[in-house]
Amino acid sequence: MSTRLGRWTVYVLIAIGFAIACAFLSNWQFERNVTRAEQIALVEKNYDADPVPLVDLIGADGSLDPGDVWHPVVLKGEYLPDEQLLVRNRPHGGTSAFEVLVPFRDADGRVFVVDRGWVPPGEGDAPDAVPLPPSGEVEVIVRLRPGEQLPASGRGAPEGQVPTINLPAIAGMVGGDVVTSAYGQIVSEDPSGEGTLGGFDSPTDDPGPHLSYAIQWILFALMGFVFIGYIIRTEIVKHREEVEGAPAPVKTPRRRDKDADVEDELLDANV
């Protein structure tokens, strides 16, 4: 019995450890669901808001409030086509496209990076053609987006290209007072440039599977205890059947000692 109790104790400890792991993963998925809900709410609030001047959302300190992401802003000034850069390996049109970054000198003198859209890949390491931005005075409406991290792999890019939209790195390649807290995804420009670039899809409002995954991990934790309970119950039933089905022990006659034999002989003689 003690052996079985030790084995059952190990079973229960395994179930507890599994439940703790499931609880951790469930909480992680709940947190991801909350984060996703906040992202959706931010898009709903800002995506179709009325455009405001850049200085209203990115002041002299150059910082971007996270609550202003996706908000449209108006830029008035001119593009700097000689400083144009291409971002590699962007998922558009079912291909690894190139996004076209063109610095824009705003009326306040600052340089703001504008993502004008994307072009399909060419035969080599660069697209076959990239439409030029309009020249002279331009009014551009963009949506604010935070910059990206440098690749963890450390991969680089050919001259005139960048692996990600890392604004500090781009600022080192572009002259002037470059805003490094945000860049802009183009909404419209007046007048328009030559040619046509691919546009950006609006962000999805799909909350994702995080909530269902969180509930599944809770169910997995409960199933672990149910499974261990089933194993223990099976062992108890099997042991009980073995005990009930065992043959009854055979009783052997008790051996009599010599003194008892002598007493019996004396009793028989008196009779």
Side-chain angles (χ1 to χ4, degrees), residues 62-267:
S63 63
L64 172 68
D65 189 313
D68 292 330
V69 172
W70 291 113
H71 200 293
V73 297
V74 179
L75 305 173
K76 293 183 179 181
E78 60 179 355
Y79 282 110
L80 306 176
D82 293 340
E83 306 287 352
Q84 177 176 283
L85 294 169
L86 300 176
V87 195
R88 298 171 58 83
N89 299 323
R90 311 297 280 193
H92 296 290
T95 64
S96 297
F98 292 83
E99 290 182 13
V100 182
L101 304 181
V102 186
F104 187 95
R105 181 175 288 111
D106 194 35
D108 63 5
R110 293 183 297 178
V111 176
F112 190 76
V113 176
V114 175
D115 191 339
R116 296 189 64 235
W118 60 272
V119 291
E123 295 295 332
D125 291 336
D128 294 333
V130 180
L132 293 173
S135 59
E137 186 77 15
V138 186
E139 180 176 291
V140 181
I141 298 177
V142 298
R143 290 188 175 94
L144 295 177
R145 302 288 293 129
E148 302 170 357
Q149 298 292 325
L150 288 171
S153 62
R155 72 178 187 276
E159 185 177 357
Q161 300 180 17
V162 290
T164 62
I165 307 179
N166 181 263
L167 296 171
I170 291 173
M173 305 168 66
V174 177
D177 180 15
V178 181
V179 176
T180 58
S181 62
Y183 71 97
Q185 282 187 353
I186 195 166
V187 177
S188 65
E189 58 186 11
D190 184 23
S192 299
E194 300 177 1
T196 302
L197 289 89
F200 299 102
D201 296 330
S202 57
T204 176
D205 58 357
D206 183 2
H210 308 301
L211 182 59
S212 61
Y213 285 169
I215 296 174
Q216 286 177 19
W217 282 117
I218 294 175
L219 294 177
F220 288 157
L222 296 176
M223 289 170 61
F225 285 107
V226 171
F227 179 68
I228 294 301
Y230 172 78
I231 292 177
I232 294 175
R233 182 179 182 279
T234 301
E235 289 189 5
I236 292 174
V237 171
K238 183 177 179 181
H239 177 72
R240 184 180 301 161
E241 291 175 349
E242 290 175 351
V243 171
E244 292 176 353
V250 178
K251 294 184 179 180
T252 57
R254 187 167 59 90
R255 183 177 180 180
R256 297 166 60 86
D257 55 20
K258 292 181 179 182
D259 293 338
D261 293 339
V262 171
E263 291 178 358
D264 289 344
E265 290 176 0
L266 291 174
L267 291 171

